Amino acid sequence: MELEVRHLRALCAIADAGSLHKAARQLGMSQPSLTTQLRRIENALGAELFSRERTGCRPTLLGHSVLSRARPLVAGMAVLVSEARAAADRSAGPRLRIGSTASRALAGWLRRLRERLPGTDISLQMDVSANALLRQVAAGGLDVAFVHEVEGCPLREPPGLDRRVLVEREPQFISLARDHPAAGRPVVELADLASDRWMIDPTVDGEWDGLRRVLSDAGLNPPVLHGDYLTASSLIAVGEAIAPCQPTSVPREDMVVRPLRDDPLGVRLLLFSRPGAYEGAGITSAGADGAGDGPGGAEVYADLEAAYREAALQAGVYRQWLTRNKSPLLHAPAA
């Protein structure tokens, strides 16, 4: 078997993700397929590149050597593709390619951008992995990415990207069945949830590590289920699980959203872009705040800020939290 760029890209993804499961998710393939591909690569080279451990995969000495040579090749191919796409884009008309992790601010943000840029082709790509989205921005596959960074689990930021902080620390609330004993309280204590089954999506960058740290600091070791949050919603509704959630989440007839005492879980909301990315969207006015995020960055950021504020104020429990904490989000900035 001859090694190809896709094989080298897979090796880099495994090393960056630290596990075959996460790497497969980022690469858009099944874990068995990636495992088979890794085995073939190792057979072709004649030795193991990763040691499989209970906590994930670690590069062997040979693995580190191969990765040191693979990364420049993968990066060079990404630059080649990016420059080719940029050349094609210049004749294809203005467009803005957005990547995002889940957020209730997205609908309002897209609406505002379409109003601001009526002739621009605006696309959206969702991913549970913020790191995967940032790699796509760096490689030229996306222009901007709106992502969250779990507290204590910093993102791997590719060099050269512009970054703006939307919210320095957004508290994470908890979703409970409406008949849960703690659902009637305005603020929930972590200790009141010690016997509940928590559900977490381990493919979301930092999510499991962040929750595990908070539970450990509180001296709790509850049972934890791993799965996606769509499945979590159905389990929460019937009292089979609880789960962290964004404070902008809207309660349902069978489910409530509550803040946790002292807000132990938090994330930072960030907007990343490539330098000059907004020029391709047909935005030519310079940013007014001198933030260094390229032409038009201030306008795109302002639209996102307004959309997030709108989503936050529509969520009653979060609006109460913002009022108690005297958050500046309650007040729109001067035009």
Side-chain angles (χ1 to χ4, degrees):
M1 183 188 82
E2 291 188 2
L3 291 185
E4 302 173 9
V5 174
R6 64 187 177 91
H7 299 135
L8 303 182
R9 189 178 294 113
L11 296 179
C12 293
I14 295 169
D16 291 339
S19 79
L20 287 167
H21 176 71
K22 290 183 179 179
R25 185 71 175 262
Q26 293 173 10
L27 293 168
M29 58 193 303
S30 69
Q31 182 175 333
S33 296
L34 180 59
T35 301
T36 299
Q37 187 177 93
L38 175 59
R39 188 179 302 115
R40 288 174 177 168
I41 295 171
E42 291 177 329
N43 288 340
L45 297 179
E48 285 192 348
L49 301 179
F50 292 90
S51 59
R52 280 71 155 178
E53 303 173 358
R54 185 178 60 83
T55 56
C57 294
R58 290 180 178 273
T60 61
L61 288 176
L62 177 61
H64 281 294
S65 176
V66 171
L67 286 165
S68 68
R69 293 174 177 269
R71 291 189 188 279
L73 295 173
V74 172
M77 180 59 71
V79 171
L80 185 154
V81 172
S82 174
E83 291 179 350
R85 285 174 174 170
D89 289 346
R90 283 192 286 271
S91 60
R95 70 175 184 177
L96 182 63
R97 297 164 299 173
I98 297 172
S100 181
T101 51
S103 173
R104 290 191 174 274
L106 280 176
W109 189 29
L110 291 175
R111 185 183 73 247
R112 288 171 170 82
L113 288 175
R114 295 191 195 285
E115 291 172 354
R116 182 184 296 279
L117 307 168
T120 299
D121 177 17
I122 300 174
S123 63
L124 174 65
Q125 178 177 325
M126 303 295 297
D127 200 307
V128 296
S129 171
N131 285 311
L133 290 170
L134 296 189
R135 288 195 296 271
Q136 289 195 59
V137 174
L142 294 171
D143 299 309
V144 298
F146 174 41
V147 299
H148 69 274
E149 178 182 66
V150 177
E151 196 167 52
C153 304
L155 296 173
R156 295 185 293 273
E157 300 182 18
L161 298 187
D162 295 320
R163 182 186 71 178
R164 300 195 63 157
V165 179
L166 177 69
V167 177
E168 183 62 42
R169 189 178 194 275
E170 179 194 68
Q172 298 300 279
F173 289 177
I174 194 79
S175 291
L176 308 161
R178 188 163 290 277
D179 59 357
H180 189 285
R185 301 167 193 161
V187 178
V188 176
E189 306 279 350
L190 263 180
D192 294 336
L193 308 174
S195 60
D196 285 284
R197 285 179 291 273
W198 289 70
M199 191 156 190
I200 198 78
D201 187 344
T203 63
V204 179
D205 293 331
E207 201 107 322
W208 171 221
D209 291 335
L211 176 61
R212 181 166 47 189
R213 173 183 54 80
V214 167
L215 293 175
S216 177
D217 290 346
L220 302 177
N221 187 28
V224 176
L225 307 176
H226 288 174
D228 64 272
Y229 287 123
L230 181 61
T231 302
S233 294
S234 61
L235 295 179
I236 292 168
V238 296
E240 284 295 316
I242 62 174
C245 67
Q246 297 177 14
T248 50
S249 300
V250 178
R252 308 184 333 191
E253 289 184 1
D254 52 5
M255 190 186 304
V256 300
V257 173
R258 294 289 182 265
L260 292 166
R261 178 74 64 189
D262 298 326
D263 307 309
L265 292 168
V267 303
R268 185 163 58 157
L269 303 183
L270 303 163
L271 180 66
F272 288 87
S273 63
R274 288 182 297 103
Y278 300 114
E279 294 176 1
I283 305 177
T284 56
S285 59
D289 59 358
D293 56 350
E299 289 87 347
V300 173
Y301 175 83
D303 285 341
L304 175 58
E305 187 178 39
Y308 181 82
R309 182 182 301 105
E310 179 181 65
L313 297 183
Q314 287 175 350
V317 175
Y318 191 24
R319 186 173 63 248
Q320 294 170 9
W321 184 95
L322 294 170
T323 300
R324 287 198 304 272
N325 289 273
K326 298 183 171 65
S327 171
L329 272 173
L330 293 168
H331 311 289

